[in-house]
Amino acid sequence: MNNRNDFNVVVIGAGPAGCQCARSLAKLGRKVLLVEQHETFNKNDFSSAATPQETLDKFDLPETVVGSYWQKISIVTTNVNHTWASPKILGAVLNFAKLREFLAGEVESYGGKVWMGCRYTKNFQEEGKTVVEMRRFGGEKFTVSTEVLVDATGPARAVMYDKKSGQPQFLTAAGIEYLIEVEGREYEKYAKDLIFFLGHKWMPKGYSWIFPMEPEKHRLKIGVARFNLEHKQIVETKSMRWYLELLIKDYMKLEEYELIDSHGSTVRYSVGLKDIYYQDNIIAIGDAVSTINMLGGEGIRHGMDNAEIASKYIEKYLDQRLSSFRSYQREMQRRYAIKWNISEQMGRRRYMQDSDELIDKGVNYLRSLTVEDMMNILFAYNFQKLYKGLGKYLQRKIKLVWQQVQAFSGQLSAISYELLTHYFGRKN
């Protein structure tokens, strides 16, 4: 790595988006370099990684990257608990480290290069080429040249923005997650079930979760996430780790478990998707262009989908069929802007405004929906399905009110009869 290396594409960051971008371009025969700052993929294993079944099929992912499968969705609030179940598998909880390791292996199998333990420092122009400077783990600097440079550094946005450049307004959220090992009978309580926790008891200003992972080892992912905004009703909150421990002690009632790993991360989402998507021959993908849904925090499959879109335009650029990446930005915003903006507003209302009572009512609205409806809402962002739940909820309420009116009318009739009988009886 000490000699100058020339590439068609250099991808900085080996997350799902970066790996998939490098994988796609290497498969097309391009000379690709994928760069990761950590020495191993286990050192930044930070994602909860729940995804619908279609992700495995669409990106041709093997079973080796699956931590576990799920076929139930549960929502627990301060006062409400409901589960939507399916007889078939709905999705998977991915092993985040193994997913990226597999994708990086695919890059190499198609002739690309993967360099681990290399940190990006800067880029500059020299003799008509983009020169990328990096530092190896241990301090040694080196450079490579490329025709296209890809920023897949996630919320750091390390390539697209230098420290002096202005950045858009960001909505930030932080989260931490435990990977724990429990006894078999305890694991079975949570197997095949994605459990989400809402409400001020479990995680004010955010949400929590329990996901199954590695059934043969009886492992579970337990996490909490919180938005860094002021709540209209809540003034004081405790630490995120306090709420995580609350799940373990109060909900799960675990007396013994083994902590396998603890990790955390911060997401920075550009409100209105105002990130810089490209600059000359530099293009940003994944979390570097806010390819994450802020309502539920899901990003892996969207980042990989974004990588496929970006690869299409990079291929055209390399073939000189494209002079800029403007059409890439337009397609990304056309695909995501409306749904992402709705999700952001719903997230702000749910996590930063609603009372416990409103959150309970919201889950009660959903109780009449099918598991297919819930999948459409949670993973396809088809919010029209919410009207179906609201309609059935109102029907139940109207029916209940009508029954109460009828009962009250009956009581009034009985009282009136007694009064009339009493009155005319006395007259007689």
Side-chain angles (χ1 to χ4, degrees), residues 292-342:
I292 183 170
N293 187 279
M294 288 305 291
L295 181 61
E298 190 198 3
I300 288 178
R301 67 189 171 110
H302 304 308
M304 294 178 71
D305 192 40
N306 170 209
E308 289 286 280
I309 295 169
S311 298
K312 175 180 66 177
Y313 288 98
I314 292 171
E315 178 75 0
K316 290 180 181 179
Y317 185 90
L318 292 172
D319 287 340
Q320 298 184 339
R321 290 181 287 140
L322 203 68
S323 59
S324 84
F325 290 111
R326 180 178 299 174
S327 50
Y328 159 67
Q329 178 174 344
R330 286 175 177 167
E331 181 171 343
M332 284 294 297
Q333 293 186 333
R334 188 167 58 246
R335 179 172 297 212
Y336 290 107
I338 294 176
K339 288 183 179 179
W340 261 222
N341 289 340
I342 293 173

Side-chain angles (χ1 to χ4, degrees), residues 24-43:
S24 297
L25 290 166
K27 189 175 182 179
L28 291 170
R30 299 298 181 176
K31 190 177 180 183
V32 176
L33 171 62
L34 176 63
V35 179
E36 169 59 36
Q37 65 176 331
H38 296 283
E39 292 180 287
T40 72
F41 287 113
N42 289 315
K43 287 197 173 180

Side-chain angles (χ1 to χ4, degrees), residues 143-161:
T143 59
V144 300
S145 66
T146 185
E147 295 176 63
V148 174
L149 179 59
V150 180
D151 186 347
T153 61
R157 295 166 170 82
V159 180
M160 194 56 73
Y161 300 96

Side-chain angles (χ1 to χ4, degrees), residues 1-10 31-35 111-115 118 126 129-134 136 140-149:
M1 291 192 333
N2 291 323
N3 299 322
R4 175 71 59 82
N5 290 274
D6 295 324
F7 295 92
N8 298 131
V9 184
V10 173
K31 190 177 180 183
V32 176
L33 171 62
L34 176 63
V35 179
K113 293 184 181 295
V114 179
W115 291 351
C118 300
E126 185 179 275
K129 292 234 177 176
T130 296
V131 179
V132 184
E133 181 185 277
M134 291 174 274
R136 297 177 65 182
E140 179 186 352
K141 287 185 178 180
F142 65 94
T143 59
V144 300
S145 66
T146 185
E147 295 176 63
V148 174
L149 179 59

